[in-house]
Amino acid sequence: QVQLVESGGGLVQAGGSLRLSCAASGRIFSSYAMGWFRQAPGKEREFLAAIIRGGGSTRYADSVKGRFTISRDNTSNMGYLQMNSMRPEHTAVYYCAVDQSLHNLACISAASWGQGTQVTVSS
């Protein structure tokens, strides 16, 4: 199994930016595609972005294109999500996950999930 721990969440003002981190351990991180998701109170989990194991190809939800950027550093077993132009409706718990298939991640299916990190956007 892959163990994942998210960090970098917190309180940000509307229009501001945050960078989330995902630390992986337990298996070879570079063997997995990685994705980011969020779940707002009372809502279903939402796919945000995914990146292939080599980091050369990415996929984004239409709602975040141009504002969020996913990246990874396989040498340090770290994944990242840069979030710009945050809005109050973006308040949610943000999760990272890995799977052998980027397509599985886009369908909100993963081999391993992190515990989540809270992001709150104030107006």
Side-chain angles (χ1 to χ4, degrees):
Q1 299 293 318
V2 178
Q3 291 78 46
L4 304 170
V5 179
E6 301 94 336
S7 62
L11 179 65
V12 63
Q13 197 168 25
S17 299
L18 282 176
R19 191 190 194 197
L20 304 181
S21 298
C22 178
S25 63
R27 291 189 183 272
I28 305 300
F29 178 61
S30 60
S31 297
Y32 295 89
M34 185 267 289
W36 286 95
F37 309 80
R38 68 185 174 198
Q39 188 165 20
K43 297 182 174 60
E44 296 181 351
R45 190 164 298 185
E46 177 187 5
F47 168 77
L48 299 176
I51 187 167
I52 63 171
R53 58 183 61 86
S57 182
T58 57
R59 179 173 176 175
Y60 294 93
D62 289 341
S63 61
V64 305
K65 285 182 178 179
R67 298 194 302 274
F68 289 11
T69 302
I70 189 171
S71 62
R72 67 191 298 164
D73 184 349
N74 289 337
T75 64
S76 59
N77 294 330
M78 295 290 295
Y80 303 97
L81 183 68
Q82 177 68 43
M83 306 187 295
N84 299 327
S85 302
M86 297 294 286
R87 303 171 184 173
E89 58 264 34
H90 299 156
T91 294
V93 176
Y94 285 69
Y95 300 88
C96 68
V98 298
D99 197 88
Q100 294 182 2
S101 169
L102 182 146
H103 297 288
N104 286 348
L105 293 173
C107 294
I108 318 180
S109 177
S112 297
W113 293 87
Q115 86 290 345
T117 184
Q118 176 70 45
V119 173
T120 302
V121 185
S122 65
S123 59

